[in-house]
Amino acid sequence: MGQRSSKHDMADPEVLPNGRFSLSEDVLPRYAFERRPRGTVTFDSHMPASSGTTDTELPDTERRDSRIDGRRSSIYSTMDPVPQLDFYAHSSMTGRQQRSRPSLDILRKSFDDGESSTQKDESGIVQQDTSFSEGEKPFVPVRFGWVTGVMVRCMLNIWGVILFLRLSWITSQAGIILTWLIILMSVIVTSVTALSVSAISTNGRVVSGGAYFMISRTLGPEMGGPIGVVFSFANALACALNTVGFAEVVRDMLVEYDALMIDEVNDVRIIGVVTICLLLLISMAGMEWEAKTQWLFFIVLMVSFANYFVGTVIPVPEKEAMGFFSYHSEIFMSNLLPDWRGPDGSFFQMFAIFFPSAIGILSGVNICGDLKDPSSAIPKGTLAAIFGTTISYLAISATAASCVVRDASGNPNDSLSANFSEPCNGLGCKLGWNFTECEETKSCAFGLANSFKILSLASGFGGLITAGVFAASLSSALAFLVSAPKVFQCLCRDNIYPYIGFFAKGYGKNDEPLRAYLLTFFIAVAFILIAELNIIAALISNFFLCSYALINFSCFHASITNSPGWRPSFRYYSKWASLFGAVVSVVLMFLLTWWAALITFCVIMFLLGYVTYNKPKINWGSSVQAGTYNMALSYSVSLAGVEDHVKNFRPQCLVLTGPPNVRPALVDFVGSFTKNISLMICGDILMLSQEESGLPLTQRGADILVKWLNRRKVRSFYTPFTGDCLREGAKHLLQASGLGKLKPNTLIMGFKNNWKECTPHSMEDYVNTIYDTFDSNYGVCLLRMMDGLDLSEGIQCQVNQGFVADEVTESGERDETNSSDKESVDLPSGAVLNDQIKTVFQSKQGKKTIDVYWISDDGGLTLLVPYLLSRRKRWRQSKVRVFIVGEEHTIEEDRKEMILLLQKFRLDIHDVIIMTDSEKPPQAKNLKRFEDTVALFRLRDEQQAESVVQQLRKDYPWKISDKELEALRQKSERKVRLNEIIRRNSQQAALVLVSLPVPQLDCPSALYMAWLDTLTCGLPCPTALIRGNQQNVLTFYCQ
């Protein structure tokens, strides 16, 4: 409930504290003060060495300007610095020394002497000296621009073996028109994804992690974690696939020259393993060597392309037998339309074969941590790569189909003489060749439809095309070998999944993930040794399409939530285009390989389920949080315009717990019937003295208490409030808590066990809180346990028998709020940093009973609470019994009438018991105990003058006069008698609920507390005194 807190006295105004403050990425500033003479107040930022890059990467001029800016103060105060980047930067992301601005508390307590405003050294900010000692070289990592880091890398990954070995065959099947349609459809998907990537990458600084980083920071760890695992694995498999593709080309050359080492399958394995070992050495040598190697591959590809285009315009008669005739309009027109052949002859089969060549657009994104300016490089490089490769695919498909016929025999004797007489059909006849025989027998070995080496045939020198195939496959394999460890390293550092932190360590100036390189190497080698990867190839395409879908959806979701934090500098995107890209990607997953799509979704759902269940303690400000806020706000506003209806009544509880971990039983009791049903607010009234009332509350202390509630799986808000007393704080909380219709309608407190020993003002404050709640038309519930609710007192002296300490907390670890937090976190006074305490409300109640003593009709709240409790798993076997007051001669009629009412309410009540002896006088010993209790608070005014009595009543309003005690004697005896009945019938109950008596205005506080104490004394089980606001909360009508 309430708590009294105290603070240290303020420093002498003549001797101001020197604030030394720091700010890490996940904690609020902490200020350490030193006594210094007035006028020498400075702030010194002390931070641990940042990971990654350092401030020394910046040019000297920029570093110097930054230090000068750091010393500038605003015109308002020398303590008030001007806006600057360092106040907003994370040291781990920028590599610069992080500093924090002075807090409002420091600014208000500072004094300017009028002279320090001209002295920049006393501006309140002191930059740490990051200069290097003489002879020490700065530690500068290698960074790439948009050409080397993104465009070249993406183009090399998009130009794969499909371009050299399959594009011409696809063109022969689909024709030029449909081939261009296939290319443009793929480009639409990749372009929309590139626009989404550009938008996300320009909405804040992007560090390493590629697609995983973007998805996880936008949609949260629940979706980012599964994609990180799948995307890393897909890159490792893609590396194996491209390496096997290279090995198969080399194997074919060995077969052609009859130089096999063992056999065709084992030769692929040997060549593949040797190749992947060489690529691993290049990767581990560092990104600088890897980039140089990629440039070499790029030059080889450019030469091979030039060789091809030059070769297409040079007619070579020796090649005509194999179908190459240079450019002819007849060839172009004949290849314009499709000519489907074989079981794979369909549009979507051709699309499925071609689309994997477009999956390389994320190659630059995957090494975003090695780019100079990812926000600028990723959009320019990715879009430029898509444009360049699209032009090359369109040009090669059109030129190949303009120079080469679909079918050719390769036999020089099939040329037509001037006077030929044999039958000749087809386009070859017009070009001087008779390929009719092989066309009819389908035995043609050359031509677009029959040979995969059309580019070598059409080029000026076929060996350069082979070099291009080598460069394309090896560059793709190298890019994937680099991408997989980079993405996996970022995933490991986020600690979303267990047992993978070993691979997070980086080495060298570029923080190279050498351990992740070795893991990728072993995965690739394992699949290379299989040497047959057709099934895995389908999974890879689906994995990449799934990544595209989530990237597009991330952009759409971030846009649709209208979060103020979504401010991408790249403007050329559309949220609807992103949604279209996401839908198309999912559709393509099933159109390409439906079983692979199902496997992909199963893997994603399994990994998603783990992250959702584990709930990693990560907050990246995802769009899911923004969407949740929007939905909550929208529903709250909509609900505000709906009138309350009795069918939808829910007990929305304001629980005066104080710090929730001090009264866990009270938290668990209310959480048992409000979880997933209604509102629960834990109110903490901080009773500060007048000079302390202006001090700020510690936000991190409140956050720790909220985490305590979350670990306990209690769905509740925590609201601290400062007030002079319990009554004032509760009144303001009742008025101000909640939003719209989500406002408390029931106040719940613990019973004041020490009401006899506490100060009279404290007791009066407690009772007046109940009075004010009734006056505000709220329900009231008081929970009493045999050993009390408050742990803060019992922890220091003895174990509270009402609670059992768990050996292990729910998460399997000790409470976070221990050790270092005790030293650094200022929790509200009275808060106890302890392990989770197990209360009786967390245990299974078995077949015990819930006894409801419905003495007064309060609208049904007394019945609704036990019904809600009985719906919980722990209380499901408990039977609810209802006790009501009745007469002996009408006991059956009263029982039937109550059973009929409860049946209409559709409440599962086990039994109804009529109390016919409530009017009997109580036992003498019990009545004497009650009289002894109130004797401490009697005025004993019978023998005193009236004026003296009036003065006593004015000075001691909580005390009981003889006249009041006599007037209320019958009510007091009935409560003593009711306690006797309760103790007789409910000794074995799990919970007892009793109607709370409503005090009259002339009832003294001490007498009312004596009634409450009498009603609930002597019971071993928890007892709740409960009272609704006299308005119906139950109904048996449908409308």
Side-chain angles (χ1 to χ4, degrees):
M1 293 184 293
Q3 51 177 317
R4 177 73 60 179
S5 62
S6 61
K7 302 283 184 180
H8 295 293
D9 295 337
M10 297 299 297
D12 187 349
E14 294 300 323
V15 182
L16 287 180
N18 173 51
R20 184 174 68 251
F21 67 96
S22 63
L23 181 61
S24 65
E25 292 185 25
D26 56 348
V27 298
L28 295 175
R30 294 199 303 269
Y31 296 88
F33 294 100
E34 298 175 3
R35 298 285 183 173
R36 291 199 179 181
R38 178 176 178 179
T40 62
V41 181
T42 59
F43 289 86
D44 190 5
S45 175
H46 295 273
M47 288 294 298
S50 60
S51 60
T53 58
T54 63
D55 191 40
T56 58
E57 298 174 33
L58 302 174
D60 292 340
T61 54
E62 184 178 347
R63 199 161 61 238
R64 183 170 56 253
D65 292 342
S66 175
R67 292 181 181 178
I68 293 175
D69 289 343
R71 297 190 181 100
R72 284 213 309 264
S73 57
S74 71
I75 61 175
Y76 295 139
S77 169
T78 58
M79 296 291 296
D80 203 359
V82 297
Q84 53 191 279
L85 180 145
D86 289 345
F87 291 154
Y88 299 90
H90 290 177
S91 60
S92 62
M93 297 180 65
T94 63
R96 301 178 63 173
Q97 181 66 38
Q98 184 187 10
R99 299 174 303 161
S100 59
R101 65 186 66 81
S103 68
L104 292 173
D105 187 49
I106 296 296
L107 290 176
R108 294 190 65 210
K109 295 173 184 176
S110 63
F111 293 89
D112 286 336
D113 57 8
E115 298 177 0
S116 59
S117 60
T118 60
Q119 301 174 8
K120 292 181 178 179
D121 287 338
E122 298 180 3
S123 62
I125 302 293
V126 176
Q127 175 82 7
Q128 276 192 338
D129 187 11
T130 59
S131 59
F132 291 93
S133 60
E134 186 177 355
E136 184 181 355
K137 294 183 179 180
F139 199 61
V140 182
V142 177
R143 293 288 183 258
F144 304 112
W146 70 273
V147 176
T148 303
V150 182
M151 188 189 76
V152 171
R153 190 175 299 274
C154 289
M155 295 180 80
L156 288 172
N157 229 359
I158 295 173
W159 286 327
V161 292
I162 291 177
L163 171 65
F164 291 95
L165 302 180
R166 292 293 184 272
L167 182 60
S168 59
W169 177 75
I170 293 173
T171 306
S172 72
Q173 293 268 350
I176 296 175
I177 295 177
L178 292 185
T179 300
W180 278 34
L181 180 61
I182 290 173
I183 295 172
L184 293 177
M185 285 177 59
S186 303
V187 169
I188 288 174
V189 176
T190 56
S191 297
V192 170
T193 305
L195 294 176
S196 300
V197 166
S198 300
I200 297 174
S201 64
T202 58
N203 188 55
R205 184 173 178 84
V206 179
V207 296
S208 62
Y212 159 71
F213 184 88
M214 293 184 177
I215 295 172
S216 62
R217 269 55 176 181
T218 305
L219 293 180
E222 291 79 9
M223 291 305 302
I227 280 298
V229 175
V230 169
F231 192 66
S232 301
F233 188 67
N235 276 273
L237 295 189
C239 174
L241 270 179
N242 283 274
T243 305
V244 169
F246 167 78
E248 288 180 347
V249 174
V250 176
R251 186 267 320 269
D252 292 341
M253 294 178 63
L254 294 177
V255 171
E256 183 178 352
Y257 292 101
D258 194 21
L260 284 175
M261 293 177 284
I262 302 176
D263 55 50
E264 294 187 3
V265 175
N266 286 313
D267 279 15
V268 170
R269 292 170 176 164
I270 295 172
I271 297 169
V273 171
V274 172
T275 303
I276 197 70
C277 289
L278 293 176
L279 294 178
L280 177 67
L281 293 176
I282 295 173
S283 301
M284 298 184 71
M287 289 299 296
E288 191 172 5
W289 281 96
E290 189 267 349
K292 292 177 180 178
T293 306
Q294 294 286 27
W295 268 112
L296 176 62
F297 291 147
F298 185 77
I299 294 172
V300 172
L301 281 172
M302 290 296 102
V303 172
S304 65
F305 286 155
N307 170 58
Y308 164 75
F309 285 112
V310 171
T312 57
V313 299
I314 301 176
V316 180
E318 291 80 6
K319 296 181 181 179
E320 292 182 356
M322 293 181 283
F324 175 75
F325 295 92
S326 191
Y327 292 99
H328 279 79
S329 59
E330 294 87 354
I331 298 178
F332 177 80
M333 294 304 297
S334 67
N335 289 327
L336 204 58
L337 298 178
D339 180 17
W340 307 115
R341 301 182 183 183
D344 293 334
S346 67
F347 178 81
F348 282 108
Q349 283 294 332
M350 295 301 107
F351 183 85
I353 294 172
F354 174 80
F355 185 79
S357 65
I359 63 177
I361 64 169
L362 297 180
S363 299
V365 178
N366 290 337
I367 64 159
C368 53
D370 297 299
L371 301 176
K372 293 179 181 177
D373 184 7
S375 299
S376 172
I378 291 174
K380 291 192 295 185
T382 306
L383 294 175
I386 291 176
F387 178 78
T389 54
T390 302
I391 296 299
S392 65
Y393 273 107
L394 294 174
I396 290 175
S397 63
T399 54
S402 301
C403 299
V404 184
V405 296
R406 278 193 170 101
D407 296 296
S409 64
N411 187 357
N413 297 326
D414 287 341
S415 62
L416 294 176
S417 60
N419 299 316
F420 68 94
S421 58
E422 63 270 15
C424 184
N425 299 316
L427 179 60
C429 301
K430 300 179 182 180
L431 300 174
W433 290 82
N434 187 0
F435 302 134
T436 305
E437 182 180 356
C438 76
E439 287 179 359
E440 291 177 351
T441 60
K442 298 182 180 179
S443 60
C444 297
F446 296 92
L448 284 177
N450 306 294
S451 174
F452 293 147
K453 299 181 179 180
I454 297 301
L455 269 66
S456 296
L457 175 66
S459 64
F461 177 62
L464 288 177
I465 297 299
T466 303
V469 174
F470 289 171
S473 57
L474 291 177
S475 64
S476 297
L478 182 59
F480 286 124
L481 182 60
V482 171
S483 298
K486 296 282 186 181
V487 175
F488 194 63
Q489 182 189 39
C490 185
L491 173 67
C492 295
R493 285 179 171 173
D494 288 337
N495 292 320
I496 296 178
Y497 295 104
Y499 312 121
I500 60 175
F502 173 79
F503 300 100
K505 184 175 178 57
Y507 297 87
K509 57 185 180 182
N510 268 53
D511 197 31
E512 296 291 345
L514 299 185
R515 296 176 180 177
Y517 275 129
L518 292 176
L519 177 64
T520 305
F521 167 77
F522 286 118
I523 293 175
V525 167
F527 284 95
I528 288 172
L529 294 178
I530 296 175
E532 196 64 44
L533 300 176
N534 291 335
I535 295 178
I536 303 300
L539 283 175
I540 293 174
S541 297
N542 272 271
F543 286 167
F544 278 98
L545 275 172
C546 185
S547 301
Y548 291 174
L550 283 176
I551 288 175
N552 284 305
F553 182 75
S554 298
C555 183
F556 167 75
H557 195 268
S559 302
I560 204 70
T561 54
N562 293 320
S563 172
W566 175 250
R567 301 184 303 273
S569 57
F570 183 83
R571 304 291 183 183
Y572 305 103
Y573 75 97
S574 169
K575 57 186 176 185
W576 302 115
S578 298
L579 179 61
F580 170 77
V583 173
V584 169
S585 298
V586 174
V587 171
L588 287 176
M589 290 176 65
F590 286 92
L591 287 178
L592 299 184
T593 318
W594 65 267
W595 58 265
L598 290 179
I599 293 176
T600 302
F601 274 102
C602 289
V603 172
I604 293 293
M605 293 306 296
F606 173 77
L607 295 172
L608 171 64
Y610 175 83
V611 179
T612 303
Y613 176 80
N614 196 45
K615 293 182 176 61
K617 298 174 178 62
I618 295 174
N619 184 4
W620 291 322
S622 66
S623 62
V624 175
Q625 295 176 352
T628 303
Y629 175 86
N630 284 351
M631 291 175 61
L633 183 62
S634 176
Y635 289 155
S636 298
V637 173
S638 301
L639 193 62
V642 179
E643 293 185 7
D644 293 330
H645 195 282
V646 63
K647 287 171 60 178
N648 293 323
F649 176 85
R650 300 160 188 262
Q652 302 187 134
C653 304
L654 172 62
V655 192
L656 299 186
T657 60
N661 58 352
V662 169
R663 296 178 177 86
L666 186 59
V667 172
D668 293 336
F669 168 66
V670 182
S672 297
F673 64 84
T674 59
K675 186 176 182 180
N676 298 328
I677 295 175
S678 60
L679 176 70
M680 175 180 175
I681 301 176
C682 291
D684 184 3
I685 301 172
L686 305 172
M687 289 177 280
L688 304 175
S689 59
Q690 185 174 2
E691 63 273 9
E692 298 164 345
S693 59
L695 296 176
L697 299 176
T698 305
Q699 180 61 40
R700 194 178 179 214
D703 292 341
I704 288 177
L705 294 176
V706 171
K707 291 179 180 178
W708 182 89
L709 290 170
N710 293 336
R711 285 197 307 276
R712 206 168 182 84
K713 297 182 180 179
V714 175
R715 294 197 171 186
S716 173
F717 298 97
Y718 170 71
T719 304
F721 190 88
T722 57
D724 293 336
C725 60
L726 174 66
R727 180 183 186 183
E728 179 190 0
K731 182 186 297 184
H732 289 141
L733 277 175
L734 284 171
Q735 295 175 0
S737 296
L739 181 67
K741 296 292 184 180
L742 299 177
K743 297 190 68 174
N745 53 31
T746 305
L747 178 70
I748 299 182
M749 297 187 295
F751 181 78
K752 193 173 182 63
N753 282 327
N754 65 340
W755 69 277
K756 296 182 230 178
E757 295 82 15
C758 69
T759 63
H761 294 287
S762 177
M763 180 187 64
E764 184 85 359
D765 194 36
Y766 181 84
V767 175
N768 284 335
T769 301
I770 301 176
Y771 293 174
D772 292 341
T773 306
F774 283 131
D775 292 341
S776 301
N777 204 30
Y778 284 78
V780 176
C781 179
L782 308 177
L783 178 65
R784 182 174 189 179
M785 297 184 66
M786 178 180 63
D787 298 300
L789 296 168
D790 195 338
L791 300 182
S792 60
E793 299 176 1
I795 273 184
Q796 302 296 332
C797 54
Q798 61 182 359
V799 176
N800 192 326
Q801 299 300 324
F803 309 92
V804 180
D806 283 345
E807 294 181 4
V808 183
T809 62
E810 291 176 349
S811 61
E813 300 173 354
R814 288 185 60 84
D815 195 331
E816 283 185 353
T817 55
N818 57 9
S819 62
S820 61
D821 282 338
K822 290 183 181 180
E823 301 175 2
S824 60
V825 180
D826 185 16
L827 285 171
S829 178
V832 180
L833 292 176
N834 59 335
D835 287 277
Q836 292 282 359
I837 299 296
K838 186 175 182 179
T839 67
V840 294
F841 298 105
Q842 291 181 313
S843 303
K844 288 188 176 181
Q845 303 302 320
K847 295 184 178 181
K848 295 181 180 180
T849 61
I850 301 176
D851 292 345
V852 182
Y853 291 83
W854 200 15
I855 308 301
S856 303
D857 192 339
D858 59 347
L861 182 63
T862 307
L863 291 176
L864 182 60
V865 169
Y867 165 73
L868 296 176
L869 278 174
S870 65
R871 294 171 59 180
R872 295 297 175 192
K873 185 177 180 180
R874 296 187 181 100
W875 298 81
R876 195 161 294 164
Q877 295 182 347
S878 300
K879 306 298 183 181
V880 179
R881 301 190 300 176
V882 176
F883 294 80
I884 60 172
V885 177
E887 300 291 340
E888 184 72 32
H889 59 280
T890 61
I891 184 171
E892 288 301 324
E893 290 81 358
D894 293 343
R895 188 171 184 275
K896 289 180 180 179
E897 183 180 351
M898 178 55 60
I899 291 176
L900 178 62
L901 176 62
L902 296 177
Q903 288 176 345
K904 288 186 175 182
F905 285 148
R906 304 172 304 282
L907 299 175
D908 187 14
I909 303 299
H910 177 67
D911 194 10
V912 173
I913 301 172
I914 309 299
M915 298 182 295
T916 59
D917 54 351
S918 60
E919 300 291 337
K920 292 182 180 180
Q923 297 180 13
K925 62 177 183 179
N926 295 326
L927 185 59
K928 185 177 185 306
R929 184 174 63 241
F930 172 78
E931 292 174 348
D932 292 342
T933 299
V934 299
L936 301 173
F937 302 95
R938 293 184 59 178
L939 280 176
R940 304 193 182 278
D941 53 349
E942 288 182 345
Q943 306 301 326
Q944 301 184 31
E946 184 65 23
S947 59
V948 176
V949 171
Q950 294 296 331
Q951 185 62 36
L952 287 174
R953 288 182 177 179
K954 183 177 179 181
D955 294 339
Y956 307 101
W958 58 86
K959 288 197 172 185
I960 311 166
S961 67
D962 295 336
K963 183 178 180 181
E964 290 169 336
L965 183 62
E966 188 62 31
L968 299 173
R969 177 172 294 277
Q970 187 177 10
K971 291 185 177 181
S972 300
E973 291 179 354
R974 288 180 178 177
K975 291 173 177 59
V976 176
R977 177 57 186 164
L978 180 58
N979 174 255
E980 294 175 354
I981 296 174
I982 295 173
R983 286 191 291 166
R984 184 182 66 210
N985 292 286
S986 302
Q987 284 294 325
Q988 303 302 320
L991 176 67
V992 174
L993 294 99
V994 185
S995 295
L996 175 69
V998 177
Q1000 297 179 349
L1001 293 176
D1002 58 349
C1003 181
S1005 301
L1007 180 58
Y1008 185 65
M1009 286 300 302
W1011 286 352
L1012 302 184
D1013 182 70
T1014 299
L1015 279 173
T1016 57
C1017 71
L1019 293 174
C1021 60
T1023 306
L1025 295 166
I1026 186 170
R1027 186 79 181 209
N1029 62 354
Q1030 302 302 110
Q1031 296 179 4
N1032 289 349
V1033 301
L1034 296 174
T1035 182
F1036 44 79
Y1037 294 106
C1038 296
Q1039 59 184 12

